[in-house]
Amino acid sequence: MGLVIVTGGSRGLGFECAKELAAIGHQIVLVAKDKARLEESAKHLGAAYRAVDLEDLDAAKSAFEEILESFGTPEIVILAHGVMSAKMSKTLKTDNVEWRRVMAINLDSVFCALNILAAPMAEARAGRVVIFSACLGRMSGPGNAGGLAPYRVSKAGVNALVRNLAHETGLGARGFLVDAVCPNHSRTDMGGPDAPLSAAEGARTAIWLATRAFDVNGVSDQEKLTGVLWEEMKVVPW
C-alpha cells in the first residue's frame, strides 16, 4: 500500500476517507487548518499531518512541496477541504472579500495541490486524485443556479479543472486518474446535523474512486471513465 494525502482530513468527509484507506494499510498524511483537531485526528489514525491554511496560497504551495520532499510521490490524493459561501451570497450581493475567500479555498488551492502533488504522479504514470466537488456546480440539471454564487462557481471551476487535467494526461490511458465527486448532503460541519447522509456515506464514492479497478478499454463507465463528476458511483452530467 502507498502514500495517501488527504486535505480537509481532520474531520468530516476527509477524515472518513483517511480512516477507510488507513484501515487497508495505506500511509496517511492529513492536511488541515485547525492544528489541535488535526493532531487529534492524526493520532487516532496513526497518521502524519501538516497544518496549513489553504486560503494562503503561498503557504499551501510550501506545505505541499514539503510533503513531497518528506514523504515522496503519493499514490492517492484526496482533496476534501472546502467552504460554503455566505448565506445571502448572490452574485450582486457578494463583496470582493467573500468572493476571494471562497475561490481561494475551493478552487485556487485545488489548482495549487494539483500543480504540485499531481505532477510527479502523472510523470510516474500512476496514481489517483479525487476532488470533492458538488452538484451545485453543474451547468445543467435541477438546482444548478441561483444563490450561493461563489460556492457554485468555485465548484463549477473544480469540475472544469478535473476534466481539463484528465484530457491533458490521457484520460487514464497513461495510468493517472483524476475525478470529481459530489458527496450529496452529508452530516458534516458544512452540511449540518440534519443532513440525510452520514459522513461515511458521503465519502463512499470517493473511497471507491481511490481504489476501483480501472481499464481504459473496459465496458462500463465505472471501469473506463475518468475526468468526470461522480455521484453514488455514477457519472453526473454537468
Side-chain angles (χ1 to χ4, degrees):
M1 294 295 176
L3 174 68
V4 178
I5 299 170
V6 183
T7 66
S10 65
R11 59 188 180 183
L13 300 168
F15 179 79
E16 291 297 330
C17 290
K19 181 173 70 173
E20 291 301 315
L21 293 172
I24 60 175
H26 286 285
Q27 178 189 7
I28 308 294
V29 179
L30 303 179
V31 179
K33 179 180 177 180
D34 185 336
K35 187 175 181 179
R37 190 166 184 174
L38 181 59
E39 185 174 9
E40 181 180 345
S41 297
K43 183 177 180 180
H44 181 79
L45 298 180
Y49 67 91
R50 295 293 188 271
V52 61
D53 182 355
L54 294 177
E55 185 177 358
D56 182 339
L57 292 184
D58 290 335
K61 182 175 185 291
S62 295
F64 293 138
E65 288 173 341
E66 188 275 326
I67 288 170
L68 274 185
E69 183 177 347
S70 297
F71 298 96
T73 300
E75 179 179 311
I76 298 168
V77 171
I78 296 179
L79 303 180
H81 67 280
V83 292
M84 178 57 72
S85 52
K87 187 176 181 180
M88 294 301 293
S89 54
K90 293 184 178 181
T91 304
L92 303 183
K93 294 184 179 294
T94 298
D95 61 24
N96 287 352
V97 172
E98 174 65 0
W99 182 268
R100 283 290 354 128
R101 178 186 76 91
V102 177
M103 289 296 165
I105 297 170
N106 287 1
L107 181 57
D108 297 349
S109 68
V110 169
F111 162 76
C112 182
L114 291 173
N115 188 254
I116 295 168
L117 300 177
M121 299 167 73
E123 185 176 351
R125 295 176 174 255
R128 314 284 179 90
V129 177
V130 182
I131 306 172
F132 277 90
S133 184
C135 288
L136 290 178
R138 292 174 301 170
M139 300 291 187
S140 63
N144 67 81
L148 302 176
Y151 182 79
R152 290 181 188 276
V153 175
S154 69
K155 293 304 185 180
V158 167
N159 295 340
L161 184 58
V162 164
R163 181 180 185 275
N164 201 60
L165 179 57
H167 279 265
E168 290 174 345
T169 52
L171 292 171
R174 302 174 197 165
F176 172 77
L177 310 182
V178 56
D179 290 281
V181 59
C182 172
N184 274 318
H185 192 189
S186 305
R187 292 190 293 277
T188 63
D189 286 3
M190 183 187 295
D194 299 323
L197 299 181
S198 67
E201 289 170 325
R204 183 173 55 188
T205 297
I207 296 164
W208 167 73
L209 285 168
T211 57
R212 64 175 166 148
F214 181 83
D215 180 359
V216 72
N217 297 311
V219 176
S220 68
D221 290 350
Q222 288 77 9
E223 291 175 294
K224 67 181 182 179
L225 291 186
T226 189
V228 295
L229 174 63
W230 299 86
E231 179 187 30
E232 295 295 333
M233 304 180 196
K234 295 180 181 179
V235 176
V236 181
W238 69 272

